[in-house]
Amino acid sequence: MLKEILELPVEGQIFYAVLVFSWTVYVWEAYLAFRQRRVYRSTMHVPTELGKIMDSDTFAKSRLYQLDKSNFGFWSGLYSETEGTLILWLGGIPFLWRISGFVTARFGLGPEYEISQSLVFLLLATLFSALTGLPWSLYSTFVIEEKHGFNQQTLSFFLKDALKKFAVTQCILLPVTSLLLYIIKIGGDYFFIYAWLFTLIVSLVLVTIYADYIAPLFDKFTPLPEGDLKTDIENMAKSICFPLTKIYVVEGSKRSSHSNAYFYGFFKNKRIVLFDTLLEDFSPMNKKDEEHAAAGQTDENEAAGEERAKPQPKNKKQGCSNHEVLAVLGHELGHWKLGHTVKNIVISQMNSFLCFFLFAALIGQKELFLAFGFHDSQPTLIGLMIIFQFIFSPYNELLSFCLTVLSRRFEFQADAFARDMGRSAELHSALIKLNKDNLGFPVADWLFSTWHYSHPPLLERLRALKGPKQD
């Protein structure tokens, strides 16, 4: 088999090399997932070292949740890999390009209007991807997330949200792509520099406007009310010279009960965003529990007459206390103070420049287009897809792993920063609470976690909080 492939023309060798590498990555990922599923199935009881961290009920729930997600990931991954292989094998990319040409021809635009044809191709490709991915997304949301108590969406809300996301994506993707293709066309020998600068500007603009103009299209953002929490956050920001201008609470609970926090903005205009599910006093889940508990108490009192009702055990609250929220934000602000955000931007842009430089060197190779069924034309958009998605895939896998390792290092450093601010105990309890709220499973296969975890496993983070200062 290998000898036959090596005897093929260069374009044939490229095609089979892409397929073989793609399936090699899939098999590797499937093997890692198998190792982790084996951990889920075999770890039935709370390990001794976790006895004070997680109760047996939460441990069992997290184990089943992660097992369901892993099983789902196996089948969705197999489908995705099979679909991608069939698209390449059956010539799906050149077929869709011809369909795009037929569409533009109906509007009187010939092959010379390559950018117009590229935009139609992009629209049809993203529509196909959205439609084929919809059943998997529906199952994940309304079966797995629903089963384990995370989903808060109705079907109507989900579908409207999906349509809105698709529309907003197209409003950004199509104009940006058309300008990028135009720059590549007119840029001459140094087009890769102009293309890189353009993508840099676009990424900075999107990061700047996302939370103010794009995210509010999907979620409700409200200023954090005046009070102790807001005052403490502002004081903490001042203590490390963080140029905080606004603090928002986002209504993430209408989608999911998962929690999060982040900051954004450039220069002297930083904002902090807290999910309502992160805040113990804001989480709608706690309000529902309190209402149910109050209703149950009323019914019990009525049934017992004047006999005093027995005290009921309190439901576990979702989210973190104010002191724990401050510890979490201490971690996040540590990323800023230690320069992690800037370092990630620099790495990203160095990678982007390198990719455009290599693209410029490869775009003229006709064999790349022949390998994927383009015998009569060499569209720039198709070249971008072939080179960035297929030819660079080995490099992308290596880079992804290196960034995962770097991310874990940054997380340890940010934890140490929060600890040095005197918030070690609060961060310790916050990490445990967040792990419980999100049903994170605290036991991981070493190889799976090494390859996939951008954040260190819970136990490693808790141990590090008690250890010496991180470099």
Side-chain angles (χ1 to χ4, degrees):
M1 180 67 178
L2 179 60
K3 183 179 179 180
E4 293 175 352
I5 292 177
L6 293 176
E7 291 175 352
L8 291 173
V10 174
E11 56 268 23
Q13 295 179 23
I14 293 173
F15 179 80
Y16 282 105
V18 167
L19 281 183
V20 169
F21 184 79
S22 178
W23 276 97
T24 299
V25 171
Y26 170 76
V27 170
W28 169 246
E29 295 282 0
Y31 168 68
L32 294 178
F34 165 76
R35 290 175 61 104
Q36 184 62 22
R37 278 195 300 277
R38 189 168 56 188
V39 172
Y40 295 145
R41 292 193 179 102
S42 61
T43 313
M44 303 293 291
H45 304 288
V46 182
T48 305
E49 58 184 329
L50 297 174
K52 296 181 180 180
I53 296 176
M54 181 176 283
D55 59 88
S56 57
D57 182 54
T58 303
F59 185 85
K61 288 179 180 179
S62 66
R63 186 182 74 84
L64 293 175
Y65 175 54
Q66 297 298 334
L67 186 58
D68 281 349
K69 284 178 58 178
S70 182
N71 288 331
F72 172 78
F74 169 79
W75 292 109
S76 62
L78 179 60
Y79 168 80
S80 178
E81 187 65 25
T82 303
E83 179 192 88
T85 299
L86 289 175
I87 288 173
L88 293 180
W89 193 269
L90 299 176
I93 298 176
F95 173 77
L96 191 60
W97 180 257
R98 289 194 296 270
I99 294 296
S100 304
F102 293 149
V103 172
T104 53
R106 295 294 296 269
F107 292 91
L109 303 177
E112 65 274 14
Y113 291 91
E114 184 187 308
I115 294 179
S116 298
Q117 187 173 348
S118 298
L119 298 184
V120 174
F121 174 89
L122 197 57
L123 176 62
L124 293 177
T126 52
L127 180 61
F128 174 81
S129 177
L131 291 177
T132 55
L134 183 60
W136 297 98
S137 183
L138 284 168
Y139 186 89
S140 174
T141 302
F142 291 100
V143 177
I144 296 178
E145 297 295 306
E146 184 82 27
K147 174 182 176 182
H148 295 278
F150 289 114
N151 177 48
Q152 305 297 322
Q153 303 178 71
T154 63
L155 180 60
S156 174
F157 178 90
F158 177 89
L159 294 176
K160 289 178 181 177
D161 198 55
L163 287 173
K164 191 188 298 183
K165 286 179 181 177
F166 183 83
V168 171
T169 299
Q170 300 309 311
C171 289
I172 297 172
L173 181 63
L174 296 182
V176 168
T177 302
S178 64
L179 286 173
L180 176 61
L181 294 177
Y182 182 72
I183 290 171
I184 293 174
K185 288 288 186 183
I186 68 169
D189 293 339
Y190 298 100
F191 76 83
F192 62 93
I193 298 177
Y194 310 132
W196 167 69
L197 288 173
F198 173 71
T199 56
L200 170 61
I201 293 171
V202 168
S203 63
L204 294 179
V205 169
L206 287 178
V207 168
T208 302
I209 69 172
Y210 174 77
D212 287 327
Y213 300 103
I214 300 176
L217 296 174
F218 303 95
D219 296 301
K220 182 180 179 181
F221 286 70
T222 56
L224 180 67
E226 297 292 335
D228 292 340
L229 179 59
K230 183 177 181 181
T231 300
D232 289 341
I233 292 174
E234 290 173 341
N235 289 337
M236 183 170 66
K238 288 179 183 177
S239 71
I240 61 170
C241 301
F242 181 78
L244 178 64
T245 56
K246 294 180 181 179
I247 309 171
Y248 292 111
V249 177
V250 59
E251 191 182 0
S253 57
K254 70 178 182 179
R255 300 174 183 278
S256 170
S257 56
H258 290 295
S259 52
N260 197 7
Y262 62 91
F263 70 87
Y264 69 98
F266 289 102
F267 306 114
K268 300 296 182 180
N269 188 27
K270 306 287 187 183
R271 290 95 182 273
I272 289 175
V273 177
L274 306 170
F275 278 53
D276 57 353
T277 48
L278 176 68
L279 308 176
E280 192 175 74
D281 296 333
F282 281 78
S283 175
M285 312 304 162
N286 295 336
K287 294 176 183 177
K288 290 178 182 178
D289 289 342
E290 290 170 2
E291 291 171 359
H292 292 160
Q297 188 74 36
T298 300
D299 292 342
E300 187 174 347
N301 287 339
E302 291 176 354
E306 295 184 3
E307 184 180 346
R308 187 172 181 178
K310 294 180 180 179
Q312 299 296 314
K314 291 184 179 180
N315 291 325
K316 296 177 183 177
K317 283 191 173 184
Q318 183 193 42
C320 298
S321 67
N322 286 358
H323 291 296
E324 290 166 341
V325 170
L326 289 170
V328 171
L329 288 179
H331 167 96
E332 295 300 329
L333 295 182
H335 285 305
W336 171 80
K337 189 67 174 179
L338 297 171
H340 297 164
T341 306
V342 173
K343 290 174 184 176
N344 281 330
I345 291 174
V346 170
I347 292 172
S348 173
Q349 293 309 314
M350 289 176 62
N351 172 65
S352 178
F353 181 83
L354 175 63
C355 288
F356 275 115
F357 174 77
L358 294 175
F359 169 78
L362 295 173
I363 188 63
Q365 303 299 314
K366 186 177 181 181
E367 292 81 5
L368 293 177
F369 293 89
L370 292 174
F372 294 91
F374 286 83
H375 302 281
D376 303 320
S377 61
Q378 298 180 34
T380 303
L381 178 64
I382 302 301
L384 284 167
M385 178 185 296
I386 291 173
I387 295 172
F388 277 75
Q389 184 175 345
F390 300 128
I391 304 303
F392 287 171
S393 53
Y395 165 74
N396 291 335
E397 288 294 324
L398 177 60
L399 177 65
S400 176
F401 174 70
C402 292
L403 291 178
T404 297
V405 174
L406 181 64
S407 174
R408 283 200 299 272
R409 179 178 176 82
F410 284 170
E411 292 301 316
F412 279 127
Q413 291 176 352
D415 282 350
F417 183 86
R419 183 194 63 197
D420 294 341
M421 294 180 72
R423 303 189 182 277
S424 177
E426 292 87 353
L427 183 58
H428 186 281
S429 59
L431 290 174
I432 294 172
K433 279 189 177 181
L434 292 174
N435 186 79
K436 291 179 179 179
D437 288 347
N438 293 288
L439 290 184
F441 195 69
V443 183
D445 173 78
W446 73 270
L447 189 56
F448 179 88
S449 64
T450 299
W451 186 261
H452 281 294
Y453 283 9
S454 60
H455 286 57
L458 177 63
L459 282 176
E460 291 184 22
R461 295 183 72 176
L462 297 182
R463 293 191 195 108
L465 281 173
K466 299 178 181 179
K469 183 177 179 180
Q470 299 293 313
D471 295 333

